[in-house]
Amino acid sequence: MYLKILAHPVFTNLNFHMPMIVDLSHPLIMLQGENGSGKSTLLHSIYFALRAEQAEGYIYRLEPAGVKTGQAFLFDAEQHNPRHQLQLFEDQPEMLEFLRMASHGQVMLSLFRESFPKLPDGTVLLLDEPEMALSVSNQQRILKMLKELVDQKGFRIVCATHSPVLIEAPETYVINLDRHINRNVVSTDMGVEGASTIQ
């Protein structure tokens, strides 16, 4: 399955060449790139396409035509943190107590362990920075969980991520957005990579 982006206001502004052709045939895909390279924008674009939704200025085509995609579920680790939505759990006192006492990382792990496996078989799971707040060892744990969702429930998973654990895993297919011309990435005139230029 391929997503062909014919027009997109953000990607055009970032100087990406159209059409963009995104290979979605792999079951476990990582979107890699610098801050501002368009990872989250591409993830949301995939979500719109899989749900056959329209967005202003965004023209796309899924190929082959008529492909059945199943249910798409988008999770943004920054926006969808349950600890910021405690009112949703007022009728679940044990969960409410857990959310108040647990760390951000523990909450994220519980989502992978308890919530995502309850999604229907064949779900397309789109994750924006799922490694947020997780240690390296717990990033390895969620990689194992992602592989199990693919193998046991037929999920297709696309992650926008900065995690070397996820990007360098042999089971993942990486789409690197830094290989495109992009005006929004910090220029190289800020000094030696990794060195501060603040005086």
Side-chain angles (χ1 to χ4, degrees), residues 101-117:
M101 300 297 294
S103 71
H104 186 184
Q106 289 172 312
V107 171
M108 289 301 300
L109 284 172
S110 73
L111 285 170
F112 278 88
R113 188 175 54 248
E114 305 293 337
S115 299
F116 296 154

Side-chain angles (χ1 to χ4, degrees), residues 47-118:
Y47 179 73
F48 286 134
L50 294 178
R51 293 174 58 88
E53 294 183 5
Q54 300 299 319
E56 187 175 350
Y58 174 33
I59 303 171
Y60 62 85
R61 187 164 61 236
L62 281 174
E63 297 181 353
V67 65
K68 292 185 178 179
T69 57
Q71 177 180 340
F73 183 85
L74 174 65
F75 179 80
D76 183 325
E78 185 176 3
Q79 294 183 12
H80 300 149
N81 186 343
R83 298 178 74 193
H84 299 151
Q85 304 174 55
L86 294 178
Q87 71 279 3
L88 299 176
F89 304 95
E90 289 176 353
D91 60 343
Q92 301 174 50
E94 289 183 9
M95 180 59 127
L96 197 58
E97 182 66 17
F98 171 73
L99 292 174
R100 287 182 173 142
M101 300 297 294
S103 71
H104 186 184
Q106 289 172 312
V107 171
M108 289 301 300
L109 284 172
S110 73
L111 285 170
F112 278 88
R113 188 175 54 248
E114 305 293 337
S115 299
F116 296 154
K118 293 178 182 174

